[in-house]
Amino acid sequence: MKKIFVFSILFVLVMSTISACAQGGAGAGDVIKIGLNNEITGDNPIIGASSRKGVDMALEEINGAGGITVGGKKYKLVVEELDNEFKPEAAAAVAQKFADRPDIVAMIGPNDSADVMPTIPIVVKAKLPSITPWATAVDITKGNDYFFRACFDDYFQGAIIAKFAYEDQGARTAAVLYDMSNDYNVGIATIFRKTFEELGGKVVEFQSYGRGEKDFKSQLTKIIAANPDILLLPNFFAEIPLQAEQARSLGYTGKFIGSDTWGDVELLRLGGEYVEGALWVGHYHPDIASEKAKAFIKSFQAKYNNETPNDIAALNYDATYLIANAIQYAGKIDRVAIRDALARTYEYEGVTGLMKFNGTGTPVKSAVVIKIENGKFVYYATVQP
């Protein structure tokens, strides 16, 4: 009986040690590691490049100020980055690698909604606290305690676009052209249609296409025949110039409106006259930046050859600080404790605005409407939640 008792104690101690490691025990030396599940290659490598710049800026500041304090000890915060290739299956594989690493205590990313979705059951099972900087699909933070985000969700964004089209732009008919292969595009398109029609408008065409398609003339011909007042393109910035050019070439003379995936200057360079006058919803704009955001923009431009940070860089910067603060507030290097600290984050002033979590993984925060004018992104309006 005594041997059995001793064995039981040893078994419990061993299992406790394994459990502690699985939940992210203290990292080696004076370093705390977080994983960055990032879109380095694939269809939109600008996402990955912008993400890394924002994360690096935050890490440089945090570590330059002495690092983060946990249990009275200073630690340097470092990131290990893996490429998810802008593919959901690759994003899941990256999440599994981080989940299996006891020294990785949290994950930032992915940035794209479709890439995030298959990682959710992995991080939940591994109790790996994760924060997506830019993914807005509603379901990301529903029904689980381990995924958070630094951005607003598509309920808010899709409704904003619809209200702005109806109330500010005076549109009474609208059409939508969206990528049906991505949860993000589908979410914005669906919520826009629902809200626009609840307001009294009519969506006269609701057209879709598959990933990688370049010829949209068939869908646009139907849209133009329906003569909408406004055309929503809730698609990634690299696709917008071609869609706008084809629409204008086929005779569309109405307005374009877009979502937060429009926020890169490549859209301006490639879209030129075809996107002039268009409006889109974003996360922040330098013209109305807070003092904190102005300091971020100034430091970013100094570090990256006078480049103005886009939404992705700014949100990744905020996400890194949210994780760093949670680790410090947790008081120990433990995945569950860090998750709990993230969940207790009631309010945070980021460079993309004030975030209020209200006990959920999705912050309540304002959005901005941006107009393309004379080849530039110009601040147009702020929309409060």
Side-chain angles (χ1 to χ4, degrees):
M1 179 67 76
K2 185 177 181 180
K3 287 182 178 178
I4 294 174
F5 180 70
V6 170
F7 174 78
S8 298
I9 292 176
L10 288 172
F11 178 79
V12 170
L13 288 173
V14 169
M15 292 307 293
S16 297
T17 303
I18 291 172
S19 175
C21 288
Q23 292 178 10
D30 298 334
V31 169
I32 296 175
K33 296 178 182 177
I34 54 178
L36 178 58
N37 192 334
N38 203 11
E39 290 80 358
I40 302 172
T41 60
D43 292 346
N44 293 290
I46 288 177
I47 296 175
S50 301
S51 164
R52 187 60 198 253
K53 288 175 181 176
V55 170
D56 283 348
M57 274 284 302
L59 291 178
E60 186 173 295
E61 292 174 4
I62 293 166
N63 293 325
I68 56 178
T69 304
V70 180
K73 181 179 177 180
K74 285 285 189 182
Y75 291 87
K76 183 180 179 183
L77 188 63
V78 300
V79 66
E80 291 202 14
E81 181 185 42
L82 291 175
D83 183 14
N84 65 36
E85 306 170 36
F86 198 63
K87 294 178 180 176
E89 61 273 20
V94 168
Q96 190 63 63
K97 289 179 181 177
F98 288 145
D100 292 341
R101 289 268 305 275
D103 59 330
I104 299 290
V105 300
M107 182 175 80
I108 296 176
N111 284 283
D112 175 56
S113 293
D115 294 338
V116 171
M117 297 308 293
T119 72
I120 295 172
I122 296 169
V123 304
V124 169
K125 183 178 180 181
K127 298 183 177 179
L128 178 66
S130 302
I131 181 164
T132 175
W134 194 50
T136 53
V138 173
D139 287 344
I140 289 172
T141 58
K142 288 176 64 177
N144 79 83
D145 295 328
Y146 278 85
F147 240 110
F148 299 79
R149 66 176 120 218
C151 53
F152 45 67
D153 68 14
D154 288 342
Y155 271 142
F156 181 56
Q157 179 175 200
I160 284 175
I161 298 170
K163 289 178 182 175
F164 211 79
Y166 188 86
E167 296 172 356
D168 185 87
Q169 295 296 295
R172 293 296 179 265
T173 59
V176 183
L177 176 65
Y178 68 99
D179 180 352
M180 63 180 177
S181 70
N182 193 298
D183 296 314
Y184 164 82
N185 309 57
V186 174
I188 295 288
T190 304
I191 295 164
F192 171 86
R193 178 167 65 175
K194 179 177 183 292
T195 307
F196 190 76
E197 293 190 337
E198 285 175 349
L199 289 167
K202 183 178 181 181
V203 175
V204 293
E205 277 293 342
F206 198 69
Q207 292 289 325
S208 63
Y209 60 92
R211 182 170 186 164
E213 285 189 32
K214 303 293 183 187
D215 187 346
F216 312 100
K217 295 187 184 71
S218 175
Q219 297 94 324
L220 288 168
T221 297
K222 294 177 183 176
I223 287 172
I224 293 166
N227 194 30
D229 294 329
I230 203 161
L231 172 55
L232 170 65
L233 301 172
N235 308 315
F236 286 89
F237 66 87
E239 297 175 305
I240 302 304
L242 188 58
Q243 293 171 351
E245 179 183 355
Q246 289 183 15
R248 293 295 188 216
S249 299
L250 289 169
Y252 178 66
T253 57
K255 299 169 182 174
F256 294 117
I257 195 165
S259 51
D260 67 329
T261 43
W262 283 37
D264 192 273
V265 292
E266 277 294 286
L267 185 148
L268 299 174
R269 189 178 68 81
L270 297 173
E273 61 181 306
Y274 301 112
V275 296
E276 184 70 17
L279 295 157
W280 59 280
V281 170
H283 299 270
Y284 90 120
H285 192 281
D287 287 353
I288 57 160
S290 63
E291 291 304 312
K292 184 173 185 176
K294 287 176 182 174
F296 161 70
I297 293 167
K298 183 179 180 181
S299 297
F300 193 96
Q301 290 177 326
K303 183 176 176 63
Y304 297 114
N305 196 29
N306 208 34
E307 176 184 335
T308 298
N310 60 21
D311 286 15
I312 304 168
L315 288 166
N316 273 267
Y317 177 89
D318 280 347
T320 305
Y321 266 100
L322 282 166
I323 288 283
N325 289 344
I327 295 171
Q328 192 153 273
Y329 294 152
K332 54 184 176 180
I333 306 169
D334 174 87
R335 289 181 178 179
V336 175
I338 294 167
R339 188 224 77 87
D340 291 346
L342 265 174
R344 290 196 301 270
T345 304
Y346 173 71
E347 190 173 291
Y348 175 73
E349 177 71 44
V351 298
T352 58
L354 180 65
M355 309 178 198
K356 292 187 176 182
F357 284 87
N358 295 337
T360 74
T362 297
V364 176
K365 60 190 299 190
S366 61
V368 294
V369 179
I370 296 162
K371 185 175 184 179
I372 298 176
E373 192 171 279
N374 297 322
K376 296 180 179 178
F377 290 140
V378 178
Y379 169 75
Y380 188 82
T382 298
V383 182
Q384 299 295 338

